Amino acid sequence: MAKFTVDDIVPGQRFEQRQGFVWRVIRLISFPGEDMMHVQLVNDRDHSTTKTVSVNALLDRNLFRLMEK
């Protein structure tokens, strides 16, 4: 299986965080002056809870794992 990269991340994908929370990708973000891409996530159970993390954090299998549809 090919390595999952930033180019594979699309809005709507769901990731499970190590603590059991499920997050859905809202959008990819490029901050001015930053080389690293980030993603904005929304909690699947509580849409008022969002977070922004670097793509590197999202792709770190010790922190998040991609959930199947």
Side-chain angles (χ1 to χ4, degrees):
M1 182 175 178
K3 185 176 178 181
F4 195 73
T5 68
V6 65
D7 296 326
D8 300 315
I9 299 173
V10 295
Q13 285 176 318
R14 296 169 60 225
F15 288 82
E16 183 176 21
Q17 193 172 14
R18 186 173 165 184
Q19 294 85 355
F21 294 105
V22 176
W23 299 91
R24 189 169 24 88
V25 175
I26 297 173
R27 65 187 176 125
L28 278 89
I29 304 169
S30 176
F31 289 113
E34 294 266 336
D35 292 335
M36 176 59 54
M37 291 291 295
H38 289 71
V39 291
Q40 184 176 16
L41 305 170
V42 64
N43 186 305
D44 236 16
R45 290 189 178 187
D46 177 4
H47 292 184
S48 67
T49 305
T50 63
K51 68 166 57 185
T52 302
V53 299
S54 71
V55 167
N56 281 352
L58 189 65
L59 298 179
D60 184 338
R61 296 189 75 184
N62 293 314
L63 301 174
F64 294 92
R65 77 171 176 85
L66 177 64
M67 297 183 69
E68 298 295 322
K69 290 187 176 183

